[in-house]
Amino acid sequence: MLPPKLPSIFPQHPRCVFQLMKKQYERYTPEMVERITGIPQDQFLKAADLYTSVRKDGDMKKVSTIIYAVGWTQHSFGTQIIRTAAMLQLLMGNVGRAGGGVNALRGHSNIQGATDMAGIFDILPGYLKMPNPADVDLATFLKRTTLRCRSPIPGVVQLLVEHSEVHGLIPKAMYGAAATKDNDWAFHTCRRSIATTPG
């Protein structure tokens, strides 16, 4: 559903948040942006035009999102960067609408889900490593991927998971009765699909 048409989308009171923000940021001309960041004016203006094109001629049918990754969050001022993105999205009318908002692509907000559902190319559910073409059988794969501790630290309790039983659960879920302990949980099927993947 589209937001209702308002006589003026931006409040005019001089002390409202929008007018205060406008005053604060009006000094950041394309020339100043280039001087501070090193980004050429034409590139900055191209990015700004692209970002605001969703509202060309007052069009409210489209929506855009800002997706950020670890690069934003690793700065000492990462919170300010993300808050700035949220303010931009609010000003553009891209919050509270399907497909809009500010979304973390990595980090604690969704990395757990991505790894649990194998949404990341190199990790199976349960943080298990993916087989690679050099893993000719399950034993080779387990030797490469199972955590080994060479010199235990006195007083530290160690927990080593027997990988083979855990690894068997994933092919069992995918291949059902065809995945058994006797056939290495159909490891050959998983390995074949990895080995034949282009790239």
Side-chain angles (χ1 to χ4, degrees), residues 24-79:
Q24 170 71 22
Y25 293 109
E26 66 186 7
R27 71 184 92 173
Y28 294 102
T29 62
E31 294 80 16
M32 182 176 271
V33 169
E34 182 174 30
R35 192 161 31 101
I36 293 171
T37 67
I39 298 170
Q41 289 179 50
D42 61 324
Q43 288 183 22
F44 167 71
L45 290 170
K46 185 177 180 181
D49 286 343
L50 179 64
Y51 176 69
T52 58
S53 66
V54 72
R55 293 287 165 266
K56 187 174 182 182
D57 301 324
D59 183 8
M60 289 300 290
K61 292 179 184 167
K62 295 178 183 175
V63 68
S64 67
T65 185
I66 293 178
I67 299 175
Y68 69 91
V70 185
W72 278 14
T73 59
Q74 294 302 309
H75 291 285
S76 59
F77 50 86
T79 305

Side-chain angles (χ1 to χ4, degrees), residues 130-199:
M130 285 290 277
N132 68 38
D135 297 326
V136 293
D137 55 23
L138 182 61
T140 307
F141 168 74
L142 294 175
K143 184 176 181 182
R144 179 178 66 84
T145 60
T146 302
L147 175 66
R148 309 233 184 262
C149 187
R150 294 186 182 145
S151 56
I153 301 168
V156 175
V157 177
Q158 296 179 23
L159 176 62
L160 297 177
V161 176
E162 178 46 54
H163 234 69
S164 60
E165 296 300 322
V166 176
H167 188 274
L169 298 174
I170 297 164
K172 192 79 175 153
M174 294 191 301
Y175 305 119
T180 66
K181 191 169 187 172
D182 293 334
N183 71 1
D184 281 344
W185 307 111
F187 180 80
H188 64 284
T189 305
C190 184
R191 183 187 172 278
R192 186 169 54 241
S193 64
I194 299 295
T196 57
T197 302

